[in-house]
Amino acid sequence: MTQYMPQYPPSGYYPPPPPPQNGFGVAAFVLGLLGLLFSFIPIIGLIAWPLVLLALVFAGLGLARARDGRATNKGMAISGLVCALIGLAICILYAAIFSAAVSSSPSSASRPATAYAAPAPNNSAPAASAGIGTEVQDGSLAFTVTDVKTGVRVLGDSFLRTEAQGMYVLVHVNVRNIGSESQTFMGANQTLLDTQGREFTTDSSAALMNVPDSESFFTPINPGNSVKGVLVFDVPEGLSPASIELHESMFSSGALVSLAG
């Protein structure tokens, strides 16, 4: 009877390489696509905010793994990044439209004629009593602007680096929860004003991908705690920021802080 000897691998045999780690790319695509779909739905679209922001984070991690050769689905991570950026832009657009509708509501119709005051000219920014280093309050959050940097043209030094259309203005803010419940500070609800009264919204995608401190703004803040982060604005080159309007949420009135000085 013929006996078969067991086969052993040659002495130069190497174990197979580890399987690709494609989880972040898949998560980025799924969350980015869901966020994009939900962003088109009014009111319900509020849940698109965390979806697209998480998709941006996962897309960055997925692309980093693909660059290092640990993942093979670079295209899916890029698709997730694109879906998340489009969804984020739609969310910001809806928030801006809603804020404009609220601010233009005819609530002043019931005021007596004697209480009328002439509006400030459009070519000047509203005056702010608080300045850098002074704490202001809006709702259950207190804000302190600690530093302002202008003239920044590029953020990041990797494949996720972003270049400003004009220049970036970086506003460093300390956010403290002075309420009784946990709060989350959303950087997309903040507004920068120049000396002509023009308004600029935050560039959340550039901040999230290239400013690590900005991620703290999406972390729940328990009562008595505080976080520090950076708000990023893409403004025309050479612009001098006059003030910033900081909001607890898109529905709050906001607190104005002067940046001139």
Side-chain angles (χ1 to χ4, degrees):
M1 175 182 294
T2 303
Q3 293 184 348
Y4 293 94
M5 299 296 294
Q7 299 295 320
Y8 296 97
S11 59
Y13 174 78
Y14 294 97
Q21 300 175 334
N22 293 328
F24 284 131
V26 173
F29 177 73
V30 173
L31 293 174
L33 183 59
L34 289 176
L36 176 59
L37 295 176
F38 279 116
S39 66
F40 288 101
I41 306 175
I43 301 178
I44 300 178
L46 290 175
I47 65 176
W49 283 99
L51 294 176
V52 297
L53 294 175
L54 285 173
L56 289 173
V57 175
F58 287 144
L61 295 174
L63 288 172
R65 283 187 173 182
R67 180 191 61 184
D68 297 338
R70 293 180 293 158
T72 58
N73 62 341
K74 180 179 180 181
M76 183 168 289
I78 293 175
S79 299
L81 177 63
V82 172
C83 289
L85 290 176
I86 296 175
L88 181 62
I90 295 173
C91 289
I92 294 175
L93 178 61
Y94 268 124
I97 294 175
F98 182 83
S99 299
V102 171
S103 62
S104 61
S105 60
S107 58
S108 60
S110 59
R111 298 177 184 174
T114 55
Y116 173 79
N122 293 331
N123 60 351
S124 62
S129 57
I132 297 176
T134 303
E135 185 176 81
V136 296
Q137 176 183 345
D138 183 48
S140 58
L141 294 180
F143 309 97
T144 305
V145 176
T146 58
D147 192 19
V148 179
K149 289 183 170 57
T150 61
V152 180
R153 291 175 174 80
V154 176
L155 289 176
D157 54 3
S158 65
F159 60 91
L160 289 177
R161 70 196 300 266
T162 56
E163 186 172 350
Q165 297 175 2
M167 70 174 188
Y168 287 124
V169 173
L170 309 182
V171 181
H172 296 251
V173 183
N174 182 46
V175 184
R176 185 166 63 95
N177 186 351
I178 58 177
S180 58
E181 298 179 353
S182 177
Q183 296 287 339
T184 301
F185 177 69
M186 300 298 293
N189 298 327
Q190 316 314 314
T191 304
L192 185 76
L193 299 95
D194 67 358
T195 55
Q196 301 179 29
R198 294 181 296 179
E199 298 182 353
F200 303 88
T201 56
T202 49
D203 190 337
S204 299
S205 59
L208 190 62
M209 289 189 292
N210 293 302
V211 184
D213 289 341
S214 66
E215 296 177 5
S216 61
F217 285 157
F218 305 105
T219 303
I221 312 171
N222 287 323
N225 290 346
S226 61
V227 297
K228 297 179 181 180
V230 182
L231 297 171
V232 179
F233 300 88
D234 193 342
V235 303
E237 188 172 355
L239 178 141
S240 297
S243 57
I244 185 172
E245 196 171 70
L246 298 166
H247 295 264
E248 176 195 44
S249 69
M250 67 174 65
F251 307 107
S252 64
S253 57
L256 200 63
V257 177
S258 174
L259 304 180

